Amino acid sequence: MPGIRAPRWLSASLCAVALLVAPATAATRYVATTGSDSNTCVQAETISTPKLTIASGMACTVAGDTLYIRAGTYSTGIRSSLATIPTGTSWANAPIIAGYPAETVTIPTIQMAASYIQYVIFDNFLIDSNQAFSEGVYISNGAHHVRVQNSEIRDHESHGVMVQRLSPGFCEFINVNVHSNGVTATQDHGFYILAPNNLVQGSLIHDNAAYGLHIYDGANTQVSNNRAIGNRVYDNGVLSGTSYGIILASGTGNMAYNNLIYGNVGGIITYNATGSLIYNNTIYANDTRGIRLLSSSSNAIVRNNIVYLNPTAAIDNAGVGTIQSNNLTTDPAVTNAGTFDFTLQAGSAALEAGTSLASVFTTDFAGNTRPHGAAWDIGAYERITGTVPSPPLTPLITNTAGAAGAIDVTVTWAASLSGTPTSYTVYWATAPDTYTNSQSAGLALTDVVDDLAPGIYYFNIGAVNASGESAKSATVSAYVLFPFPIVPERLLVQRGMP
């Protein structure tokens, strides 16, 4: 991500080169500050004859296409009030509008405010308005299924991201760095989500005026089923003495797990909510409370959390019907809190002291499988003992024989460089970080995934030995259709271990 000010752990992030396996009807086009809108859509498929404006490039883009934006600043941003936004019918054929790999593309805002907008992906942008726009990303008026990934969102007058109550939700924010937004204490947040069914995952959320991740609507109690997973949320409440890292409110079944939350005014707060789920977070050294449940919270479940050095209270529970278990409020013996390394040392009281939540999730903040030992560890990390293999190198996606509705894809990778694997596991899914499909390849360094339907797939590899499974390899995405030309495509940035 361009220009990100990140803590030390992100510098070890893994990068994945995505490949496109697509038919001739799925096109890649280009926009550049040196281009011309008089170039045709066909000419814009050649990198040397791009369009000049993003709006003109989007006018050529349909479901399944990729539009690459070359380096530079595009001052109008991407706004549905100024241009028609291309859409798909599912994530499998969502058009991709992306900054060109390894180049910095600066736009002031992304605004999706029309009911026809659905299934569109924005990738690899620096979204910085120098406070000229209220929000970096704004979704409203019925827009839904919008994904923003691998991007930095900073310096907006109000919020980094706002999903308004007029949106059905189902939006995704994956591996984004949202920071330094807002000028008004208590009101301007990193994320302000007023709609249901959204995902915030693998992101940095820090140094915002008020709350980091604000899931709440005072006029609505249907802000439900939002998920905050594997984020690093820190140093929020810059202008406010009351703001928390994460608020789960105004709905049912909002969830936060595997998050690292530190240096905020408070950790997690829930109220005007039913069934909030707070699992396996490490909530460390916030200014007041670690977890707070007000009397308007009902039937929340708080399990497997490390909650330490939050001076007002570790867990302040005034909620009705709250279930608490397996939380650790004494010293968890983390590796180095001073450098924000919250992995667990040998002898930590968090080791194998958790309860299984495998019906909800099975990995930790770093992507390691839970449990590593006999039982789950408490907090965002599993402690990995012994010498697990190093992650395999970035896999390569090719293709083998198949029919149009049953495509066989070959996945090839290089061996782990350390740890002596006894087998490799191939993982794949139709959305990033949701790897429900897997198969063992033994010690082979290639494997065939059979009978895939057309669509976008995400692949990575794990290496296994008696000490456990490695963190996953970098992730490769592939657009799988029939026939099979192969074209190099966009760069994804995946969260790595500290």
Side-chain angles (χ1 to χ4, degrees):
M1 290 177 286
I4 290 178
R5 180 173 64 83
R8 179 189 59 81
W9 70 281
L10 194 62
S11 66
S13 294
L14 303 176
C15 296
V17 177
L19 300 179
L20 185 68
V21 181
T25 54
T28 298
R29 299 183 182 87
Y30 302 89
V31 171
T33 57
T34 57
S36 172
D37 285 346
S38 64
N39 290 332
T40 67
C41 294
V42 172
Q43 288 175 312
E45 294 179 22
T46 301
I47 197 168
S48 60
T49 53
K51 292 282 191 176
L52 174 63
T53 63
I54 297 174
S56 185
M58 289 194 301
C60 299
T61 303
V62 298
D65 287 354
T66 297
L67 180 66
Y68 274 135
I69 317 302
R70 300 301 306 274
T73 298
Y74 298 80
S75 59
T76 59
I78 303 174
R79 293 186 272 171
S80 59
S81 61
L82 301 179
T84 299
I85 307 300
T87 64
T89 57
S90 70
W91 289 126
N93 69 358
I96 300 164
I97 303 169
Y100 194 77
E103 295 186 358
T104 299
V105 178
T106 302
I107 58 175
T109 188
I110 294 174
Q111 297 180 3
M112 301 289 105
S115 60
Y116 74 87
I117 297 172
Q118 62 175 15
Y119 295 109
V120 58
I121 298 171
F122 299 96
D123 188 6
N124 191 33
F125 286 101
L126 171 57
I127 307 171
D128 183 346
S129 76
N130 194 27
Q131 299 185 10
F133 285 86
S134 293
E135 290 86 24
V137 177
Y138 180 80
I139 299 170
S140 186
N141 288 12
H144 59 94
H145 288 92
V146 175
R147 181 184 296 161
V148 181
Q149 61 190 24
N150 310 320
S151 296
E152 183 178 5
I153 304 169
R154 71 186 189 198
D155 204 13
H156 300 281
E157 185 180 25
S158 295
H159 317 293
V161 175
M162 187 174 199
V163 184
Q164 265 286 12
R165 64 175 65 96
L166 297 177
S167 167
F170 297 100
C171 297
E172 299 182 352
F173 305 91
I174 300 170
N175 193 36
V176 294
N177 183 4
V178 179
H179 69 95
S180 307
N181 296 285
V183 298
T184 304
T186 75
Q187 297 182 21
D188 294 345
H189 317 298
F191 284 84
Y192 194 175
I193 293 178
L194 302 94
N197 306 309
N198 301 286
L199 170 67
V200 180
Q201 184 167 16
S203 295
L204 298 174
I205 308 169
H206 61 100
D207 295 289
N208 296 289
Y211 288 80
L213 175 53
H214 191 271
I215 300 171
Y216 167 84
D217 183 359
N220 184 2
T221 58
Q222 302 302 315
V223 187
S224 300
N225 302 317
N226 292 287
R227 295 168 292 155
I229 304 172
N231 303 290
R232 197 175 272 259
V233 184
Y234 62 97
D235 294 348
N236 295 287
V238 172
L239 300 179
S240 170
T242 60
S243 297
Y244 278 64
I246 297 176
I247 175 175
L248 305 175
S250 306
T252 300
N254 291 306
M255 177 185 300
Y257 68 81
N258 280 349
N259 298 286
L260 303 175
I261 306 170
Y262 56 92
N264 307 283
V265 176
I268 297 177
I269 186 170
T270 183
Y271 60 94
N272 291 341
T274 301
S276 297
L277 305 174
I278 303 171
Y279 296 153
N280 277 96
N281 301 286
T282 296
I283 305 171
Y284 200 105
N286 296 281
D287 294 344
T288 58
R289 298 169 177 85
I291 299 173
R292 188 178 188 188
L293 303 98
L294 300 188
S295 60
S296 55
S297 165
S298 63
N299 302 318
I301 305 177
V302 182
R303 284 183 168 144
N304 290 1
N305 299 282
I306 290 173
V307 193
Y308 185 59
L309 290 182
N310 303 280
T312 304
I315 301 175
D316 183 353
N317 176 35
V320 177
T322 304
I323 297 172
Q324 299 184 59
S325 73
N326 303 83
N327 299 295
L328 179 63
T329 60
T330 58
D331 188 351
V334 300
T335 299
N336 191 337
T339 60
F340 314 112
D341 180 354
F342 297 105
T343 55
L344 302 172
Q345 299 185 68
S348 169
L351 299 180
E352 299 188 9
T355 187
S356 176
L357 297 170
S359 63
V360 183
F361 60 101
T362 57
T363 58
D364 73 351
F365 178 87
N368 298 307
T369 300
R370 294 183 186 268
H372 179 68
W376 281 45
D377 294 346
I378 295 174
Y381 285 106
E382 283 284 308
R383 177 171 167 80
I384 306 301
T385 57
T387 304
V388 299
S390 61
L393 301 183
T394 304
L396 174 68
I397 306 300
T398 57
N399 53 270
T400 60
I407 303 160
D408 299 341
V409 174
T410 299
V411 187
T412 304
W413 58 95
S416 295
L417 298 178
S418 64
T420 315
T422 56
S423 67
Y424 293 94
T425 303
V426 179
Y427 296 89
W428 71 96
T430 55
D433 295 325
T434 56
Y435 296 100
T436 55
N437 304 296
S438 65
Q439 63 190 38
S440 177
L443 281 172
L445 298 178
T446 188
D447 200 24
V448 177
V449 178
D450 298 320
D451 298 333
L452 294 180
I456 295 176
Y457 290 86
Y458 297 80
F459 299 86
N460 61 30
I461 312 298
V464 180
N465 66 13
S467 295
E469 184 172 12
S470 70
K472 304 299 188 294
S473 72
T475 294
V476 168
S477 71
Y479 197 89
V480 177
L481 283 177
F482 192 84
F484 306 99
I486 302 173
V487 182
E489 277 298 323
R490 66 190 183 281
L491 183 73
L492 300 180
V493 180
Q494 298 292 100
R495 185 183 66 251
M497 294 178 63

